[in-house]
Amino acid sequence: MPMKIGITCYPTYGGSGVVATELGLELAARGHEIHFISYAVPVRMTEASDRLHFHEVEMMNYPLFDHPPYTLALATKMYNVAVNESLDLLHVHYAIPHSVSAYLARAMLGTRRLPFVTTLHGTDITLVGTDRSYLPITRFSIEESDAVTAISGYLRRVTIEEFGIRRPVDVIPNFVNCDVFQPADDSGRRQEFAQEHERIVVHLSNFRPVKRVLDVIEIFDRVRRQIAAKLLMIGDGPDRAPAEWLVREKKLGEDVIFLGKQNQVHQLLNCADVMLLPSDLESFGLAALEAMACGVPCVCSRVGGLPEVIRNGVDGFLVAPRDIETMAARTLEILADPDRRTAMGMAARARAANEFCTTKIIPLYEQLYERVAARKSAAGG
Ligand code: GMT
């Protein structure tokens, strides 16, 4: 049955916002009415329709506020949208502060109870949530959620262990639209970046320290000494400037192309022969999944949820984090052997399509919403 769902996420360039937005778009395509509630339009929300709406959280500033209370403004907007649009439930992505705002909105609704689902994405648990300054309220908002999902088995385990959570946490893995992200003979775009004889390596992230962007440059430097290649750096963030500096130091300026933030990433992934994701931590690794769906194998760190996505030696390689030499060797193994690259690319595509396609994952969210809504009805909400 179609539902009216409020979705809150960070609208900026980052995995949790991308997942939340793609989820909203997919749910709208299936007949649900979606209301995004955030401080800006989410990056991948490129359309609006009678089933896709955006509500901006307005923040009144006042000289007394050194830090305007966004959590409260968001709770107020959630409450207003829930009342005006008769929302069935809220689904918040990233615990801090979204699930706290949802908790407040639900409490404000009183007997007209508004259930909320919290999806945990990674750093909300592993970095922010476990910091002493946020731990008690993160635990509280997880315990108070009407349902909680984690994007990998790894993140579920960490959540339960770190917070001593006793309530159920469902694993609903991240997903990819396999019709948009699919292998394509994009030689037209490929020629923009490389000559026929050159291979293309790609990295996609928000360039935060956890992504080890400088390791990407170091790995590419070693690859480039052996083979003609270009490196496409997609995204932006705090480590972009240090990475550009390292590129200049290593005299790689001709071969490393910083593209900044991009929306049509599937077109760029389709130019690539291999993706590098040497992060210190990834609770899932959505960028790797998007590359895999395009038939691009990844060389990644063996951390967090990545082993749940990539089968080492089959559809990519998993290497100990910070082991730059082995990552370079694995990348060369793929680039130097076209048959190997094709076989791994096909295996990667098959894994993405069989395990993580929207057609498989979105129904899991729909079933969860139905369970949560049914509990609300049973409670007389
Ligand atoms: O990785 C980031 O810095 C962004 C972060 C986010 O919440 O936007 O990504 C997390 O969520 C993604 C989507 O679920 C996952 O694919 C990433 O693995 C996860 N990042 C980490 O765990 C470091």
Side-chain angles (χ1 to χ4, degrees):
M1 205 179 66
M3 298 179 86
K4 295 184 177 189
I5 302 162
I7 295 184
T8 289
C9 62
Y10 283 102
T12 43
Y13 202 74
S16 59
V18 169
V19 170
T21 313
E22 298 282 1
L23 174 62
L25 300 180
E26 294 289 339
L27 289 167
R30 287 163 176 264
H32 301 283
E33 191 177 300
I34 302 302
H35 295 267
F36 287 106
I37 307 169
S38 190
Y39 62 83
V41 181
V43 275
R44 285 206 191 167
M45 187 188 172
T46 50
E47 58 185 285
S49 72
D50 57 338
R51 292 206 294 269
L52 266 180
H53 308 259
F54 171 68
H55 304 267
E56 184 173 338
V57 178
E58 290 131 28
M59 300 266 294
M60 181 239 191
N61 214 341
Y62 186 67
L64 190 62
F65 298 155
D66 259 355
H67 307 286
Y70 177 67
T71 308
L72 303 185
L74 175 59
T76 307
K77 185 58 98 177
M78 285 169 162
Y79 169 85
N80 285 337
V81 175
V83 170
N84 295 343
E85 307 291 346
S86 307
L87 293 186
D88 292 304
L89 57 86
L90 288 171
H91 186 175
V92 300
H93 293 257
Y94 211 91
I96 299 288
H98 302 148
S99 57
V100 179
S101 301
Y103 170 82
L104 291 174
R106 186 183 69 185
M108 287 160 78
L109 261 290
T111 48
R112 297 165 62 201
R113 206 164 161 272
L114 175 71
F116 73 94
V117 176
T118 300
T119 289
L120 307 171
H121 282 270
T123 50
D124 46 353
I125 295 301
T126 55
L127 293 180
V128 184
T130 45
D131 187 273
R132 295 291 121 179
S133 53
Y134 290 118
L135 192 146
I137 200 154
T138 307
R139 182 198 288 128
F140 175 77
S141 63
I142 291 172
E143 294 281 13
E144 284 294 327
S145 301
D146 293 277
V148 178
T149 76
I151 44 106
S152 63
Y154 158 80
L155 189 59
R156 178 179 181 275
R157 272 194 310 281
V158 174
T159 305
I160 289 170
E161 282 163 17
E162 294 287 332
F163 292 92
I165 297 283
R166 287 185 298 276
R167 57 152 313 127
V169 176
D170 292 331
V171 175
I172 301 187
N174 284 341
F175 55 86
V176 63
N177 185 325
C178 294
D179 297 328
V180 175
F181 288 81
Q182 61 170 311
D185 177 15
D186 228 341
S187 49
R189 290 225 68 181
R190 202 184 158 92
Q191 284 161 11
E192 285 176 36
F193 305 113
Q195 296 177 39
E196 191 62 36
H197 68 286
E198 291 174 317
R199 303 290 90 210
I200 295 186
V201 180
V202 71
H203 172 75
L204 164 63
S205 79
N206 49 28
F207 288 47
R208 294 202 190 120
V210 71
K211 303 293 175 181
R212 304 287 303 172
V213 177
L214 300 185
D215 284 5
V216 174
I217 307 298
E218 291 287 356
I219 295 162
F220 180 72
D221 183 37
R222 284 153 180 77
V223 168
R224 182 67 194 83
R225 285 183 220 153
Q226 306 290 328
I227 207 165
K230 298 283 192 205
L231 172 62
L232 302 187
M233 298 289 283
I234 310 172
D236 211 330
D239 277 353
R240 177 170 172 171
E244 286 179 327
W245 173 84
L246 189 59
V247 165
R248 283 195 297 277
E249 280 290 294
K250 291 183 172 290
K251 309 209 178 335
L252 285 170
E254 292 281 297
D255 296 324
V256 182
I257 303 157
F258 287 88
L259 291 165
K261 294 177 183 173
Q262 299 287 324
N263 269 338
Q264 303 296 318
V265 286
H266 58 281
Q267 294 177 2
L268 297 164
L269 295 176
N270 263 313
C271 300
D273 295 292
V274 63
M275 170 178 271
L276 295 179
L277 198 62
S279 312
D280 266 343
L281 186 58
E282 286 295 342
S283 297
F284 185 89
L286 182 65
L289 177 61
E290 291 183 337
M292 290 167 75
C294 291
V296 178
C298 304
V299 175
C300 298
S301 304
R302 188 183 291 106
V303 288
L306 277 168
E308 296 171 47
V309 183
I310 290 169
R311 293 164 301 174
N312 186 38
V314 179
D315 37 39
F317 283 115
L318 295 166
V319 178
R322 304 191 180 197
D323 183 351
I324 292 165
E325 301 302 336
T326 308
M327 288 191 192
R330 294 302 191 207
T331 306
L332 279 164
E333 223 173 296
I334 296 173
L335 294 181
D337 181 349
D339 291 343
R340 186 90 196 270
R341 188 252 172 264
T342 304
M344 284 190 124
M346 284 170 65
R349 166 69 194 177
R351 177 144 178 88
N354 294 337
E355 301 296 328
F356 302 107
C357 199
T358 43
T359 49
K360 201 178 162 89
I361 306 299
I362 304 300
L364 302 180
Y365 279 115
E366 288 179 298
Q367 287 156 21
L368 179 76
Y369 297 156
E370 275 160 24
R371 286 206 305 275
V372 167
R375 284 208 299 267
K376 172 181 122 177
S377 310

